[in-house]
Amino acid sequence: MAKRTSGRQRKSLWSQSGPTPRLLFGAFAIAAVGLLGLTPKTLFGLSIAWPYAALWGAVGWGRVGLSLRPMLLLIVFGLIQDISFNAPFGCFVIVNLVVYGFSAWIASMFDVMNEPLVAVVAPVLQFISGFLVLWLLASALEDHAVRATPLLAALLTTGVIYAMSHRLFDLGRTPGQQVGQAT
């Protein structure tokens, strides 16, 4: 027979951790996925759409409002993406920061981030805006409209994986807490 506690449930290590360990763990996850993305991405001869992992941080970390540490990490990840994709310096930095700012703006508008409509629609709109900015930048730099199919495949991959792992990028803003106080 299992022992009963005095009616209290134990809190998980994740719920007890503050924003800094959560930020570092999310950054580690982004870096790990990014490093894996540098390897060949084929499975049985089919090309796999690799997620843009930095956008997970931009969407999730922006939910607590604007803060310097997440912005610095997104700038670093953006510069690394620029180098690995042979993009002009600053392209992915712009995409990451636009999505981060959009996420922070939505968080400041809605105090209840776990409301189903806000929790589902907001990240979808943020990912779409990020990939739209990316497509616009790429098209402007190439002087013609670039193919959208690879970006749509990466958008779907990025969104689906974020939906399954969004808690990793939650820095712990509680309802009623002022935006920007968690970090």
Side-chain angles (χ1 to χ4, degrees):
M1 192 187 268
K3 281 187 174 181
R4 290 185 182 220
T5 58
S6 61
R8 289 188 279 168
Q9 294 180 346
R10 291 186 182 191
K11 289 187 175 183
S12 69
L13 183 61
W14 186 254
S15 66
Q16 291 177 351
S17 64
T20 300
R22 289 178 179 211
L23 181 69
L24 292 174
F25 188 80
F28 175 77
I30 291 169
V33 170
L35 283 174
L36 287 173
L38 296 176
T39 62
K41 298 170 284 290
T42 58
L43 183 65
F44 303 115
L46 296 173
S47 182
I48 297 173
W50 201 255
Y52 287 49
L55 290 181
W56 299 333
V59 170
W61 298 336
R63 292 178 58 162
V64 297
L66 294 177
S67 183
L68 186 61
R69 292 182 297 167
M71 279 194 266
L72 289 175
L73 283 171
L74 291 171
I75 289 169
V76 168
F77 287 136
L79 292 173
I80 292 170
Q81 286 174 294
D82 289 337
I83 292 168
S84 63
F85 286 105
N86 292 323
F89 263 15
C91 288
F92 281 98
V93 173
I94 291 169
V95 172
N96 292 344
L97 292 179
V98 163
V99 173
Y100 179 72
F102 188 34
S103 178
W105 178 69
I106 287 177
S108 69
M109 292 189 65
F110 300 101
D111 190 35
V112 185
M113 292 303 292
N114 292 328
E115 194 67 34
L117 186 63
V118 176
V120 173
V121 173
V124 168
L125 291 176
Q126 292 159 12
F127 285 127
I128 289 172
S129 70
F131 279 91
L132 180 63
V133 169
L134 181 61
W135 181 79
L136 288 171
L137 281 172
S139 295
L141 291 170
E142 291 293 321
D143 287 332
H144 64 83
V146 297
R147 289 183 37 224
T149 307
L151 288 177
L152 289 175
L155 168 67
L156 289 174
T157 306
T158 304
V160 167
I161 293 174
Y162 178 79
M164 294 184 295
S165 63
H166 65 92
R167 292 195 195 318
L168 292 176
F169 304 99
D170 178 15
L171 296 181
R173 177 177 175 231
T174 57
Q177 183 180 20
Q178 290 291 345
V179 175
Q181 284 183 337
T183 55

